[in-house]
Each structure stands twice: as C-alpha cells, then as structure tokens.
Amino acid sequence: MFKNTLSNLTRIRQVAEVLLRYGFEDVVTNTPLRRLVSQKRRLRWLEEDERPVFETTRWERIRLIIEELGPTFIKLAQALSNRADLLPEALIDEFEKLQSNVPPFSVEAARQLIEQELGRPLAEVFTEFDDVPIGSASIGQVHRARLHGGEEVVVKIQRPGVRDKVEGDLRLLHELVRLTGGFLRNQGLTNPQDVVDAFERSMTKELDYTSEARSMEQLRKLYESYTTFYIPKVYRELSTSKVLVIEFVNGCKITDKAQLLTWGLSPEQVAETGMDIYLTQIFEFGFFHADPHPGNVLVRPDGTLVLIDFGMVGKLTKQQKYAFAGVFIGMARQDARSMALNFRRLALSSDIPDMRAFEADLGLLIEDFAVLDVKDMSMSDLADSLQGIIYRYKLQVPGAVFLILRALVILEGIGKVLHPNFNTFEFVRPYGAKIIREQYSTENILSEAEYTGTQLLALLQTLPVDLRQIMRKVSKGELRVKVELSGYSSLLRKADELVGRTILALLALGSILFSGLSLLGHYAPQMPYYRGLPVITWYSLGFSVFLILLLTLPRRRSRE
C-alpha cells in the first residue's frame, strides 16, 4: 500500500501530518482518549482567539485544518460548500466561512510573466500599467492598464509557481484519499475519489485562462442583441493560459444604492433586470455565470448591467434544464409526485429505496411553503430544504444545480437590498411556464424523434452483426451464461430455460428485422411475389410467427 509513497519522503511527511490532523486529533477530542491528554498539552491546542480546541465543534476543527493546509485545500472546501448532497449542513456552514486571504505578489514578477507570455517588452503592449493591483486571489491578481490604441483594460496575471503548487497539492489530495478512503466512506462521503477528480478538473480549468476567455466570448455572443446587459470584450491576441486581457468597464457595485440614485436609476428596476438576465442564462441558454456576488455585478451610469470574472461558470443540458424547471413547477402546483419524478430525471444516478417516503418528504416541503404568503417566502429557506432532502436521500445531481441554488440565494440578497418587495419566486414562475411550452413544442418533439430515430437506425445497423456473432457461437456451442447460485437447483433449471427462451427471442427478433429489411431488396425478375410482397418476406414472417408461438406456449412444469 505504501510502496509508491516511500519514494518521496517529503510527501510522506505531508500525508502523515494531514492524516494526524484529520484523524488522530479528532479521535482524541471526541472519545475517552481525551482523558489521557494532559491539561498542559490541551492548553497548547489553542485557536487564534485563545479558545481551547476541546471546546470547538468537530466541524470547526475541520475548518481550522483546511485553513492550515493552504489555498488549494481552501478552494476545495469552498467548492464542497456548494455540494449539499455530499456534506452535512453544519460542515457547509463552516466551509462558507473560509476566505482565501492571499497577499499580492510583486509587480516585478507580474511584469516579467507578461513579457514571457507575450514574447515582447511590456512597453510594446501597454502605454500605461498600474503597479498597484486592484484585486488579488490565490490563483492570480488583476492590474489596470492602457493599450496603445487608448483602450482601458484589466490584466489578469497568474501567480508565479501556482501551477506547480496546485499540482503538488492535488497529488497530495489523491494520496490522502487513497490512504483515508475507507475512513471517509464510513463518515458518509461515499465517493471521495470522484470528488477529488471533479475538483482536479475544475482547478485545471481555472489555471487555464483561455477557458475563461472562451466562456466570456460564448456568453457575449448569446447576449449580443441585449441593450440592458453587457459582457466585457476579451483581447484574445494579448491573452494566453497565464495572462488574460479584457476590456475595463466603469461602473458601481449593484448593491451601491446611493450611487444608483445619484445616476437617476431605479434600484427596483436594476434588481428586476438582473434577475431576468440571470434566469435567462439558466432556463434559456443553460449556460450561466456561477458567482454573481455584488463585486462581480456592476451597473453602468446608463443602467446597463455588466458581469465580470468568469472563472466559475455552470452548464445544464437540455434535459437537465427541463428536469430542474420541473421541480419548481411541481412545487408551484403542489404536486409532490411530479417533483419526485423530476428529481429522478435530474439525478445522475439515484437509488431511492422508498419512493413513497421521498414523495412524503417533498409533500411536507410543499406544505411548509404553501401556507406562506409570497412576501414571506425565502429562496434561502427553500434551497436549504431542497439540499437537505438531496443529502438525506443521497441523490447524485449535477453540480450545476447547487451552483444555481447558491446563485439564486445571492441574487435574492442583492434584490432585497434594492427592492423592498423583491421575491425570487415571482420571477421564476413565468420561466416555468415558458419551459413547459418549449419542452412540448413541435420543434423539440421533432428533435427528440430525430434523436430516437437515429439511435434506432444505429441499432438496426449493428444488430445483424451482433446476431450473426451470437448465431455463430450458438452453432459452435460456445454461448455460455454463467450463473452462480448455491442451494437453489430449481433456479438453475429456470436459468437454463431462460437461456433457451432468450435464444428463441433473439431468433424471432432477427427474423422480424430480416422481414422488414427484405422489403428494401432489389430482386431478380424470377423472384415470385404474393400480394405485392416477395415470397422470401412471407417465409421470414412465417418463421417469426412459429418462433413467437414457441415462446408463448405454456411450459410443462417438472416436479422437484
């Protein structure tokens, strides 16, 4: 088990240290073993506020461990804070407190990296470059600049050495999961390796600024006809995987109500426009900005809304979009069964042993919200309730669903700052009706029929080859069905009978398909026809009927 890790003593030390923090200290403080720890030793385990670790909760200690491990682990915890299907609510609350407070790196390093990436001196690209960054994070930082054409831009620069650091931390995470997978599964995290794999894909994408550029360009194209919404232009010719140059947009935060009033704008209208734009992204395009906190949503003096920082985006397929909307529609109609069915459609995989209990829990959720006035409804409460049900029944739903719920809660908070009567449900309701019309539109039905037809045609093309292989194995006596049962001889006989009936069914299916395909053949003039059909078609149909009769005839039961 440790063969691969012995080659790197430094990593072993890191793994051992993290294992202690994840396991040993937690076990000591939550079992009678704590009695074996001296008072002097306990006093050395202090938080920054001088509170003994023995007085903290289990979830708080996990947060402290994450903070000590550094930015990559903090980003993992922040990502997991959106996954209510994996973690209990108490731990999510702790993870939401985590902040990546990383100081900016030197401007000299920033200038050097830009020149290396663009292959020319900084002065040839920018006439002005602000040495003081306007923002700093764990992956990179942002500087203002001006191009030779006079355009004001912001330059996003990746932190030097961050790629190697993140890749090293990811290797450590994989090693930790390998060593602690059994412990984590016993704690309720059923698929820790899948979680780390998904996080690795997310981080790899975030480390490549060209991915963010593509997302901006895609949304920019979708909204090119909108006059109330704007996405900054990306200068692709000046951007690389480590440097991103985008248009600078002047505006205030969407929550700066005083500034909006100074510009003569209606805060209520701004809130409604923002919600409408975001719901359009979800329910029409299925492609949305996943982090709409106030710092990422700006308002221009003319009232145009601007989104910035596309490092986190979410996507829904057409079927996921319909299923997600169906959950809200079912709730609006107070139809727990419809909500349950749409949850099943939405889930990547679900194993609900008791659908009645699942429907009953959804019915209780509906009852809780049905008695409330519209003004008393809260997206935050609904999101918590839905996430609680998802966690309780271990539904594996797309991660984009949690990003949407989180974003709707953030937007509701923004809306209530600007709009005294803001209610998220009132905005979602018309989109539900629109989704139903789209789902059952002629165009969508024809599209689904075309897809089904394509799949059926592919089956018909491969089925003759598969049948030929099966028949060849049957004729050679090579077809085997392996059934392992102990103490059930009657079931073995039934399995033997089932194999024979399966072969008959396959032969009948092949004969029916051959009958249909024989109609497409071009035959010699000597081929006899009966009632307009080739005789070979009739023979094939007759053989099919014979096989079907064999399948439907009752079998004589033998006594034990």
Side-chain angles (χ1 to χ4, degrees):
M1 181 178 180
F2 295 95
K3 182 177 179 181
N4 296 328
T5 59
L6 288 173
S7 60
N8 193 328
L9 186 59
T10 302
R11 283 187 68 202
I12 288 293
R13 291 197 190 98
Q14 290 177 320
V15 170
E17 180 182 352
V18 177
L19 281 174
L20 286 172
R21 289 173 180 163
Y22 268 95
F24 177 75
E25 292 181 359
D26 185 56
V27 171
V28 168
T29 57
N30 286 280
T31 66
L33 289 175
R34 62 181 295 164
R35 300 171 188 167
L36 303 178
V37 180
S38 67
Q39 186 66 27
K40 183 178 180 181
R41 175 63 172 163
R42 293 185 186 189
L43 292 175
R44 285 207 297 267
W45 289 356
L46 301 175
E47 290 189 66
E48 290 181 1
D49 58 357
E50 299 301 314
R51 186 157 56 107
V53 73
F54 285 94
E55 296 179 9
T56 63
T57 67
R58 171 179 183 165
W59 314 121
E60 287 176 308
R61 286 194 298 277
I62 293 177
R63 172 175 57 80
L64 293 173
I65 290 168
I66 295 294
E67 287 176 341
E68 288 188 30
L69 288 174
T72 306
F73 291 84
I74 290 175
K75 292 189 74 68
L76 171 61
Q78 289 171 335
L80 287 174
S81 69
N82 298 318
R83 297 301 306 271
D85 56 332
L86 299 176
L87 303 179
E89 184 179 352
L91 184 55
I92 287 176
D93 291 341
E94 289 298 321
F95 281 175
E96 288 177 346
K97 299 175 183 178
L98 291 168
Q99 300 292 331
S100 300
N101 297 319
V102 182
F105 56 91
S106 68
V107 67
E108 291 78 12
R111 288 172 174 269
Q112 183 180 358
L113 191 143
I114 293 173
E115 292 178 346
Q116 287 176 350
E117 287 294 304
L118 301 183
R120 45 183 161 157
L122 197 73
E124 291 185 10
V125 183
F126 307 109
T127 57
E128 299 176 15
F129 186 85
D130 194 344
D131 289 346
V132 180
I134 58 176
S136 175
S138 59
I139 299 297
Q141 63 189 37
V142 179
H143 292 256
R144 284 186 64 175
R146 187 182 296 275
L147 301 177
H148 282 278
E151 304 94 333
E152 283 191 90
V153 295
V154 292
V155 187
K156 193 173 181 179
I157 309 148
Q158 194 170 104
R159 189 174 290 273
V162 69
R163 184 181 296 271
D164 293 338
K165 179 68 169 66
V166 169
E167 289 175 353
D169 286 341
L170 288 171
R171 287 194 296 270
L172 179 59
L173 274 171
H174 281 291
E175 191 72 11
L176 281 170
V177 167
R178 188 177 72 83
L179 295 171
T180 64
F183 171 78
L184 294 174
R185 282 187 286 272
N186 290 335
Q187 299 300 310
L189 188 59
T190 57
N191 53 346
Q193 187 60 59
D194 292 343
V195 171
V196 174
D197 289 342
F199 176 65
E200 182 174 23
R201 290 192 296 270
S202 174
M203 288 300 298
T204 301
K205 192 173 182 181
E206 190 170 349
L207 287 168
D208 184 2
Y209 286 170
T210 58
S211 176
E212 182 176 346
R214 285 193 299 270
S215 297
M216 293 183 69
E217 290 178 335
Q218 186 174 347
L219 267 176
R220 184 178 168 88
K221 185 175 182 180
L222 291 173
Y223 283 95
E224 59 186 357
S225 61
Y226 276 62
T227 58
T228 58
F229 181 52
Y230 186 74
I231 295 174
K233 172 185 174 182
V234 179
Y235 292 85
R236 289 299 291 268
E237 69 280 6
L238 300 177
S239 300
T240 69
S241 63
K242 295 181 180 180
V243 174
L244 180 61
V245 179
I246 61 177
E247 173 188 4
F248 173 77
V249 178
N250 189 25
C252 70
K253 286 185 179 181
I254 190 171
T255 50
D256 191 346
K257 190 173 181 178
Q259 184 62 64
L260 296 178
L261 293 172
T262 300
W263 287 339
L265 300 175
S266 166
E268 292 84 356
Q269 184 60 47
V270 169
E272 293 175 6
T273 301
M275 197 62 172
D276 181 66
I277 288 170
Y278 194 80
L279 293 177
T280 301
Q281 292 179 33
I282 298 171
F283 293 114
E284 289 193 20
F285 303 137
F287 181 66
F288 57 93
H289 186 289
D291 193 19
H293 66 74
N296 285 341
V297 187
L298 305 180
V299 184
R300 284 176 159 179
D302 62 357
T304 303
L305 268 69
V306 182
L307 276 179
I308 60 174
D309 192 355
F310 285 77
M312 186 187 298
V313 295
K315 294 182 181 180
L316 288 175
T317 66
K318 184 186 291 186
Q319 296 306 319
Q320 290 170 349
K321 182 177 68 173
Y322 292 152
F324 182 72
V327 172
F328 281 88
I329 294 168
M331 182 177 172
R333 294 176 173 175
Q334 299 186 27
D335 186 348
R337 175 165 294 184
S338 174
M339 283 187 74
L341 291 175
N342 279 289
F343 259 124
R344 291 288 295 270
R345 290 172 58 200
L346 184 63
L348 302 175
S349 63
S350 62
D351 182 16
I352 303 176
D354 191 347
M355 277 297 292
R356 291 180 181 272
F358 184 54
E359 288 181 20
D361 280 353
L362 291 174
L364 290 174
L365 183 147
I366 290 172
E367 290 176 10
D368 288 342
F369 283 86
V371 299
L372 296 177
D373 292 333
V374 172
K375 66 179 185 303
D376 296 325
M377 291 184 178
S378 166
M379 190 65 218
S380 177
D381 293 340
L382 176 61
D384 288 343
S385 298
L386 288 175
Q387 290 176 165
I389 290 175
I390 290 170
Y391 177 74
R392 189 156 59 251
Y393 286 93
K394 302 300 179 186
L395 295 175
Q396 296 183 27
V397 301
V401 170
F402 299 103
L403 293 177
I404 292 172
L405 293 176
R406 173 178 173 270
L408 289 175
V409 172
I410 294 173
L411 289 169
E412 184 178 65
I414 293 173
K416 289 182 176 179
V417 170
L418 302 176
H419 197 316
N421 299 316
F422 188 87
N423 186 272
T424 307
F425 298 96
E426 289 300 309
F427 292 96
V428 174
R429 196 187 306 276
Y431 279 91
K434 188 174 183 179
I435 283 291
I436 290 180
R437 290 195 298 270
E438 178 187 334
Q439 185 175 1
Y440 296 105
S441 66
T442 303
E443 181 182 356
N444 190 60
I445 291 173
L446 290 175
S447 174
E448 291 295 322
E450 181 182 358
Y451 174 77
T452 303
T454 303
Q455 296 297 308
L456 182 59
L457 181 61
L459 173 64
L460 292 176
Q461 288 174 339
T462 59
L463 192 58
V465 177
D466 295 338
L467 285 173
R468 192 180 302 117
Q469 291 177 349
I470 291 172
M471 294 301 297
R472 186 179 296 116
K473 289 186 176 182
V474 171
S475 63
K476 293 181 178 181
E478 297 176 352
L479 187 65
R480 297 286 186 273
V481 177
K482 185 178 180 180
V483 180
E484 293 185 4
L485 296 171
S486 59
Y488 297 99
S489 56
S490 62
L491 289 178
L492 289 173
R493 284 195 295 272
K494 287 183 180 295
D496 184 64
E497 179 184 338
L498 180 62
V499 171
R501 294 175 70 82
T502 300
I503 293 172
L504 284 176
L506 290 171
L507 289 172
L509 178 61
S511 182
I512 292 171
L513 290 173
F514 179 79
S515 301
L517 294 173
S518 66
L519 297 174
L520 304 177
H522 299 283
Y523 303 104
Q526 294 82 6
M527 170 64 72
Y529 280 71
Y530 177 70
R531 292 185 179 273
L533 299 178
V535 172
I536 190 173
T537 302
W538 288 106
Y539 286 152
S540 180
L541 287 173
F543 184 60
S544 303
V545 171
F546 173 71
L547 292 173
I548 292 172
L549 286 174
L550 288 178
L551 284 169
T552 55
L553 286 175
R555 299 278 173 166
R556 182 175 61 86
R557 295 180 180 274
S558 59
R559 292 190 304 171
E560 291 290 332

